[in-house]
Amino acid sequence: MSSNKKYWKSVEELNENSSIVETLKNNEFVEAIPTDEFLGDAASLSSSSTTRRDFLKYVGFSTAAATLAACEGPVHKSIPYVVQPEQIIPGIADFYATTMFDGFDFANLLVKTREGRPIKIDNNKIEGAKFAANARVHASVLSLYDSMRLKSPMINQKNANWTEVDAKIKSSLADAKAKGGQVVLLTNTLASPSTEKLIADFLAKNPNSKHVIYDAVSESAALDAFETVYGQRALVDYDFSKANTIVSIGADFLGDWQGGSFDSGYAKGRIPQAGKMSKHIQFEANMTLSGAAADKRVAMSVANQKQALVKIYNVITGSSIASSLGKEFDTEVTKAAKQLQDAGSKGVLVSGIQDKNAQLLVIAINQVLASEAFSTTGARQIRKGSNEKVAQLIADLNAGTVHTLIMSGVNPVYTLANSEAFISGLKKTKLSVAFSLKEDETASITTIAAAVPHYLESWNDHSLTAGTYSLTQPTIRPLFNTKQFQDVLLSLNGAGGTFYDYLKVNSGAFVAGTSWNKVVHDGIFVGAASTVSGGTADYASAANALSQAKPVAGFELVLYTKTGLGDGQQANNPWLQEFPDPITRVSWDNYLTVSKADAEELKLGNEIVANGGLNGSYATVKVGKTELKVPVIIQPGQAKGTVGLSLGYGRKAALKEEMQVGVNAYVLYNNFDNVQAAQLVKADGEHEFASVQSQKTLMGRGDIVKETTLAVYKEASAKGDIKAFNAPPMVSLDHKEVEATKVDLWESFDRSVGHHFNLSIDLNACTGCGACVIACHAENNVPVVGKDEVRRSRDMHWLRIDRYYSSEDTFAGDNKKKEEFDGLTGDKGSLSGFGEMEDPSDNPQVVFQPVMCQHCNHAPCETVCPVAATSHGRQGQNQMAYNRCVGTRYCANNCPYKVRRFNWFLYNNNDEFNFHMNDDLGRMVINPDVNVRSRGVMEKCSLCIQMTQKTILTAKREGREVKADEFETACSAACSSGAMIFGDVNNTEDAVTKLAASDRSYHLLEHVGTKPNVVYQVKVRNV
């Protein structure tokens, strides 16, 4: 029962007319605070060099608090709902199942919204939803709030309305029909049954029209081969979990090869179970994510890769096609072919060579193996472009036969190597229309720039693989005056209603046996598996043709897409620009990757300068008549005679100035071939890179990354000798060697009551994809600081993925070299030896290791904080009270893991940091459950305490215990490979409990005695 009793301090307060009472009520401090006595006047204060630390020491916290309390805080006005929507409860998140597909990336998603704002992307884990979000898909929620988006339709670069747009297009179509002019719909791959039906209706209504599909990054060779053998234009949906032996020739299947999303199946076979794991052999030119994960990697040019493919074809099929493979590669290729042959149906071969003959041999080899991982059931529909038809369109444009060109989801002016020919042809059309999110390079020169909504504002359907049907549903009302391409098509077809109505009716053909509402709720419907009937082709002729391939003159330029930017659609996304490349650890740039041998020959170099930044030479790359001046990164593992350059950079149109970085490599992408003959010479100048990790090797520090071979692991596990592959660190106690984990300077608390959180990270499953990094950005309002600040080592990522190389051929070689050090100087001296170990080998082994706050139970940061801003929670989390932090940075200095980030500046609403937190639209992505930190405080991973507490409160509200594996963090939820598993070690049913107790588990820098709550699993290589 509440009380209405009135409390008072003095009799005077009972007098309602007393003036003194009102005065006292309005003054927190009765007497004026004598600030002048200890601060002096304003002039002397402004010229003072007194530090904040000294200020607090002199005046004491109480006086400082009184001073700060007198400051007036900002006023934030909020407008309440007039009529509150039933589905929105303030403070409670809503989740919507949807599907993302932009012609390059795709995923089955759950979108988290707060008060009607989408703020985070999660993976849809319902059965049948097999495609998880990569880093770019996680970042796509921020692209929704891009202030550079096209906000309304434009005609001749002037704002227009949709009625005018509709009328102008219809008039042009009628004129084209009357004059016999050609109408062309140029789109990206749609993978949408309803949109494809709409286009078919449009083509029927306009017999003078045709549909051309254009993929900026082409997979036309693989599509052509598949179509030749199986009669339809699709791609194989490989299941690497069914393969014991994987041979890849130039296919970065853990990256963007054929759409990616293969890492989940791959990781299942890479975690040793009962002494078994898959074997992965990689032949490639550039160092890729797949090459980094391989058990055996062979660096070779694409010309040699073609010969290697012919050699493997000979071994598998018993053919005898002549192959001109060099002797230095013959042994390794033959060995890989025989291992593949021995694996039989448990083997699989994949290739990224953009040559139809090469792709035909891939099909032939897998057919002979009867590979279980190569299945034509449920083929991928995510690429359908045709190089031949795009080339014909450009010819038609320049011939003047195209009357009306309507484009959707493409930006050919930016992505075509021969964009000048496209632009000249575009000028010959009577009407050109670009349906686009932005006024990009193409939309800015077309007659009509039609503003389309973001996929989070749209309805759509997708058949990503044959036999599946997934829906895209809006999670927010359109922010701008936009209209879907499909709605315009409906109008052009003379049909009534909206695309939503059309979609709902059309879906009935794909979701028989279930309701529309259920498909909307689940996001996906899995129907009967669609199998392509077996086929064949003239494989012998393909092998003969491929064997005639000759090396290019000069250098082999291998074009690829980076993990961060992909094909460049989201180039204005600061999360992705600041995302460090997993291999080079460089952000805010693309660059030429060159082998050490070639760099020395051309006198190209990289140098770490005094401020810790990385500098590099420039080189001029010439392909045909086109030249580009590009900065150089010397890349361990780059095949000699080859150089790599990523697509997706160098954009200018509709981008903030800060995001206009790098060079446009599409201008070198001649004939959609990712391998070009190039000339390379050193250019003047030196480039400043933003690199977050200058160390390149493990340098013998085996307690950071522990690894072993499968043979050692099996033998030791059978004998129960865990120390053979996971030796505990030893320390001296009373002159006796004891395990470091059994010695403690601190009293331990009882952690068996309540929840106690652990995070397990399996180095075998981590592919370095970085999805966890972007998910952490979104969940925890991590600021973007820009290239200059990253270069000063002031990046704010709460989670980093360290990349280590070996200096010998293997990490085992590193350890052997370290153990043989004898003294300080000489051939085996540690001084010169460690210096040599800093230099990675020509073809190093690679390890990715995610590192965040380790949440130590005996945390060294907690003992040095003078204001108790950092403390330990009962649930194992190392907590930060931002309003207590005074920025001494003692904790960062005392942290052995270097995971704390000092907030040097105010990153939000600051013109110096013109990123998403600097405008009202961009700030809509901010998670209200996590505060936005002001300058001068330390911040770091919290193991997403807001998420763990939400899980506890949900279970409490529902009157139940927290379920096994119900706890998640942003990084563990984003990890599609299963490398990160989070949970409660006090729950015996949680997966993390078993992982924490596994034979492979160890802690980072275990000998320090910090007792972290993040546990790593020893990396095992199948060599």
Side-chain angles (χ1 to χ4, degrees), residues 102-105 188 409 414 438 565-572 648 651:
D102 63 4
F104 190 74
D105 291 312
N188 58 356
Y414 166 65
K438 313 186 78 172
L565 278 197
D567 64 349
Q569 289 187 57
Q570 295 191 73
N572 203 43
R651 292 189 59 185

Side-chain angles (χ1 to χ4, degrees), residues 452-529:
V452 298
H454 190 269
Y455 79 93
L456 292 173
E457 304 168 308
S458 310
W459 282 102
N460 210 344
D461 63 356
H462 298 289
S463 180
L464 301 178
T465 58
T468 65
Y469 182 80
S470 52
L471 285 176
T472 298
Q473 66 168 313
T475 58
I476 188 174
R477 292 190 60 148
L479 298 171
F480 307 117
N481 181 21
T482 55
K483 202 169 190 178
Q484 284 187 240
F485 172 58
Q486 293 88 341
D487 278 311
V488 175
L489 272 180
L490 275 171
S491 175
L492 298 180
N493 290 347
T498 65
F499 182 55
Y500 167 77
D501 302 321
Y502 185 88
L503 193 67
K504 191 172 181 180
V505 171
N506 201 52
S507 68
F510 305 99
V511 296
T514 190
S515 68
W516 164 261
N517 286 342
K518 180 168 172 51
V519 180
V520 171
H521 174 270
D522 294 349
I524 187 167
F525 172 78
V526 180

Side-chain angles (χ1 to χ4, degrees), residues 247 249-250 283 300-315 319-334 337 349 351 353 355 357-358 361 365 542-552 556:
V247 177
I249 300 181
F283 300 95
M300 60 165 60
S301 67
V302 178
N304 277 321
Q305 289 173 35
K306 291 178 179 179
Q307 301 302 326
L309 188 56
V310 173
K311 183 88 174 180
I312 293 173
Y313 172 79
N314 284 341
V315 172
S319 303
S320 54
I321 309 295
S323 169
S324 56
L325 185 66
K327 290 182 179 179
E328 68 272 29
F329 301 118
D330 190 77
T331 302
E332 290 296 342
V333 172
T334 303
L349 179 136
S351 177
I353 299 172
D355 184 301
N357 293 318
L361 294 194
I365 290 167
N544 271 308
L546 195 65
S547 69
Q548 304 303 312
K550 303 295 182 187
V552 301
E556 224 181 51

Side-chain angles (χ1 to χ4, degrees), residues 248-262:
S248 169
I249 300 181
D252 183 17
F253 57 87
L254 296 179
D256 295 330
W257 174 77
Q258 295 191 3
S261 286
F262 296 110

Side-chain angles (χ1 to χ4, degrees), residues 507-615:
S507 68
F510 305 99
V511 296
T514 190
S515 68
W516 164 261
N517 286 342
K518 180 168 172 51
V519 180
V520 171
H521 174 270
D522 294 349
I524 187 167
F525 172 78
V526 180
S530 176
T531 303
V532 179
S533 57
T536 187
D538 188 355
Y539 299 130
S541 295
N544 271 308
L546 195 65
S547 69
Q548 304 303 312
K550 303 295 182 187
V552 301
F555 282 88
E556 224 181 51
L557 171 65
V558 182
L559 300 169
Y560 67 101
T561 54
K562 275 178 72 172
T563 308
L565 278 197
D567 64 349
Q569 289 187 57
Q570 295 191 73
N572 203 43
N573 192 309
W575 286 351
L576 294 176
Q577 289 282 9
E578 192 147 297
F579 172 73
D581 182 76
I583 301 292
T584 63
R585 309 294 288 134
V586 172
S587 59
W588 293 100
D589 257 318
N590 65 338
Y591 34 76
L592 206 64
T593 55
V594 183
S595 71
K596 184 179 179 182
D598 290 330
E600 288 175 350
E601 191 174 321
L602 294 169
K603 295 182 171 52
L604 302 170
N606 287 145
E607 179 188 13
I608 298 173
V609 294
N611 67 356
L614 178 69
N615 288 3

Side-chain angles (χ1 to χ4, degrees), residues 839-857:
D839 189 16
S841 71
D842 288 338
N843 187 26
Q845 285 185 346
V846 184
V847 171
F848 296 113
Q849 184 178 57
V851 180
M852 66 293 292
C853 175
Q854 302 292 291
H855 296 271
C856 310
N857 288 315

